[in-house]
Amino acid sequence: MTRGLTPVALTALLAAGAAACGDSDTSSPGTARSTRTLSAEPEASPSASPSGRSQEEFAASVSAEAERNRQKAEATLKGVKGKGDAAGDVSVSGIAVRADEQFRSALVRVTNKGGEAAFFAVRVEFVDASDKVLDSVVLGFSDVPPGQTVSEHANSRKAAGVKSFPRVAQAQRG
């Protein structure tokens, strides 16, 4: 059948076939150019306009929220005797000590084992090798969803540069 085609027609047929291979059809599997989208396309693209809040305002807002949570946690822990009712829901791990550090940091994790969202108040102590408390830091975790784990850093300037160990001193569900 290709015997009857002239060289010009054959060249045109090959060129058309090559163009079809380079087509951007995204439904053809196995080509290097094919792309598959696993999620639906958004109905509208996000606006490029600024949110109206500066980075400083956002940082101040986050800092204010952390301070409100800390104050609520302080109030929650005020009347607690011993370790509190949520000590088993909290874990803490220290972050390696560096000689030039400006503060000592520990990662505090809270797991809500209850059936509804809850507030958790946690007091973390930084102690040295002789078990002397160098600093105590209080954190508040608001609206922790049931069955979920959240985390936050406890930071101490008093324990900076000292080989210290963080521990959960108190934890209370609020």
Side-chain angles (χ1 to χ4, degrees):
M1 183 164 178
T2 58
R3 281 186 193 180
L5 293 177
T6 65
V8 173
L10 188 56
T11 303
L13 183 62
L14 289 173
C21 288
D23 192 13
S24 64
D25 178 15
T26 60
S27 64
S28 64
T31 64
R33 296 175 125 185
S34 84
T35 307
R36 296 203 176 179
T37 303
L38 299 178
S39 60
E41 291 293 323
E43 291 181 20
S45 37
S47 171
S49 64
S51 68
R53 287 175 51 176
S54 70
Q55 288 180 337
E56 292 82 17
E57 290 170 327
F58 177 75
S61 171
V62 170
S63 181
E65 179 67 22
E67 180 57 22
R68 280 191 295 278
N69 284 337
R70 189 197 66 73
Q71 288 176 359
K72 182 176 178 182
E74 284 277 358
T76 300
L77 293 172
K78 194 168 231 155
V80 173
K81 303 280 189 240
K83 287 214 172 243
D85 67 2
D89 298 338
V90 180
S91 67
V92 65
S93 55
I95 297 174
V97 176
R98 292 187 342 257
D100 65 340
E101 69 186 4
Q102 295 179 7
F103 56 88
R104 184 78 171 104
S105 188
L107 182 62
V108 181
R109 290 183 190 93
V110 174
T111 302
N112 184 353
K113 297 175 184 174
E116 56 190 54
F119 178 83
F120 288 84
V122 179
R123 181 181 315 279
V124 175
E125 293 178 337
F126 291 88
V127 297
D128 65 12
S130 66
D131 206 35
K132 176 185 172 196
V133 176
L134 303 172
D135 198 5
S136 177
V137 177
V138 174
L139 300 172
F141 297 82
S142 67
D143 298 323
V144 179
Q148 297 292 310
T149 299
V150 296
S151 62
E152 191 174 324
H153 284 93
N155 299 313
S156 168
R157 289 195 183 280
K158 295 176 184 174
V162 178
K163 185 166 180 139
S164 60
F165 308 94
R167 67 179 177 201
V168 177
Q170 291 180 310
Q172 183 73 25
R173 180 186 289 265

